[in-house]
Each structure stands twice: as C-alpha cells, then as structure tokens.
C-alpha cells in the first residue's frame, strides 16, 4: 500500500521560510563582505540559488553560488571536487532536506579540505532522524517523522514548489 502524500509546505510558506533563512544568514554574516553558498545537487542547489537571490536583494553581501555533486547512495564511489578554492572564505553548505546527515557529512569532507574562515549548514527541512552527528545552523522547517517517512521537495526549474511528507 502506497503512503499518502501530505503537503507540509506550499509555495507561499516556502517563500516565507526562504526569506527568513536569508535574513538569518545575513544577520549571522553581517561582518562579512562575501559568502559562498555551496548547494548540494539537485535540491540543495535550487535552494542555494533562491537564497542567493534574496540575499542580494536584502544585503550588501557579495554572494557566490557553486554546486557540489555527490552520489547519495554510495558517497565514496565518486570523489567530489570543487572548481573553486575556498581557502579563507565564509561558506554555507546548502541542502533541501537533511535526513540521516550522510549527504551533508560527505559533502563537508570535501569542503573541509580548505582552510575556511567560517562554515555553516543551511537546510530547508530538517527531519531530526540523523545517523550522523550533523547540526544545521539555519533551518527553514523542522518536522518530526518516523524512520519510514520520506520528505519530498518538489521543484520546477529554479523554483521550489512544495514539500510533501510521504
């Protein structure tokens, strides 16, 4: 029997959450001139691009957005590389949903090969069922789920349309 999809966040609430997340990023980095948002492909990159657009609108921060690709099933099979040198930079790792924390952890492994000035983690949805010791600094929405539940973020191009619990 297929589980029913339940809408958690619609487009309007997502827009509100994104704006709040962007203001929190700005507040926590108001002493910086530039930040780099590193979006985890696919959903994390869409989120990073949306946060970047809002940050450019509300703050004087220079914001760069780059992506990181990871094989979520077998993270050690694909060596992740970044095209940019992050040494001395303020970096925010961005993902759409943090489930077990595995994707964030393996992405951090690559980012931490640089001598960063500051590192934060931002996620749209935090499930709170982590198998790895990951804490998100900026969270749009926290949801308590069972281990069998699945969070699905629906995107359309560069827009986050909805978040469902299944």
């Amino acid at each position: 029997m297929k589980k029913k999809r339940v809408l958690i966040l619609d487009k309007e609430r997502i827009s509100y959450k994104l704006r709040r997340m962007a203001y929190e990023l700005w507040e926590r980095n108001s002493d910086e001139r530039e930040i780099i948002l590193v979006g985890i492909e696919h959903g994390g990159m869409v989120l990073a691009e949306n946060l970047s657009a809002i940050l450019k609108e509300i703050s004087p921060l220079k914001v760069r957005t780059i992506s990181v690709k990871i094989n979520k099933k077998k993270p050690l099979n694909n060596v992740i590389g970044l095209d940019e040198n992050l040494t001395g930079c303020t970096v925010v790792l961005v993902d759409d949903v943090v489930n077990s924390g595995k994707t964030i952890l393996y992405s951090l492994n690559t980012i931490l090969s640089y001598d960063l000035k500051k590192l934060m983690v931002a996620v749209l949805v935090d499930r709170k069922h982590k198998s790895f010791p990951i804490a998100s600094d900026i969270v749009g929405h926290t949801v308590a789920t069972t281990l069998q539940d699945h969070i699905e973020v629906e995107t359309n191009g560069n827009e986050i349309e909805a978040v469902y619990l299944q």
Side-chain angles (χ1 to χ4, degrees):
M1 181 170 146
K2 191 173 179 180
K3 286 186 112 177
K4 182 181 172 187
R5 278 178 25 144
V6 178
L7 181 66
I8 298 175
L9 297 172
D10 61 14
K11 195 168 182 157
E12 181 180 342
R13 292 204 30 100
I14 291 167
S15 176
Y16 169 78
K17 302 277 185 187
L18 291 174
R19 186 159 290 278
R20 186 181 55 74
M21 290 173 70
Y23 271 105
E24 194 170 346
L25 280 167
W26 165 228
E27 288 168 7
R28 290 190 179 195
N29 294 288
S30 61
D31 57 337
E32 301 296 331
R33 291 172 35 139
E34 177 183 37
I35 64 172
I36 299 174
L37 303 179
V38 179
I40 298 174
E41 287 289 340
H42 167 76
M45 191 59 191
V46 173
L47 179 60
E49 288 170 347
N50 278 270
L51 289 172
S52 175
I54 297 168
L55 279 166
K56 288 174 182 175
E57 172 190 320
I58 66 170
S59 77
L61 283 173
K62 179 179 178 194
V63 183
R64 286 191 289 151
T65 307
I66 61 174
S67 68
V68 65
K69 218 173 214 176
I70 184 168
N71 180 335
K72 293 184 180 193
K73 301 287 185 203
K74 297 179 182 180
L76 293 177
N77 284 4
N78 294 15
V79 177
I80 309 168
L82 296 172
D83 293 338
E84 300 208 21
N85 183 347
L86 302 177
T87 300
C89 296
T90 297
V91 175
V92 181
L93 181 61
V94 182
D95 203 4
D96 54 356
V97 180
V98 62
N99 286 309
S100 68
K102 186 176 186 178
T103 303
I104 298 277
L105 184 68
Y106 282 100
S107 298
L108 284 171
N109 189 40
T110 297
I111 292 170
L112 289 174
S113 64
Y114 298 95
D115 183 18
L116 305 175
K117 180 177 181 182
K118 185 183 202 180
L119 175 64
M120 300 175 73
V121 174
V123 298
L124 180 59
V125 179
D126 190 335
R127 280 192 51 182
K128 294 295 181 192
H129 283 297
K130 295 178 192 69
S131 303
F132 295 87
I134 297 299
S136 304
D137 300 292
I138 309 288
V139 178
H141 189 75
T142 302
V143 68
T145 62
T146 67
L147 292 174
Q148 294 75 30
D149 289 331
H150 176 72
I151 301 291
E152 181 183 332
V153 176
E154 204 170 85
T155 60
N156 182 9
N158 202 28
E159 295 291 318
I160 303 172
E161 297 288 326
V163 177
Y164 292 96
L165 172 66
Q166 189 168 348

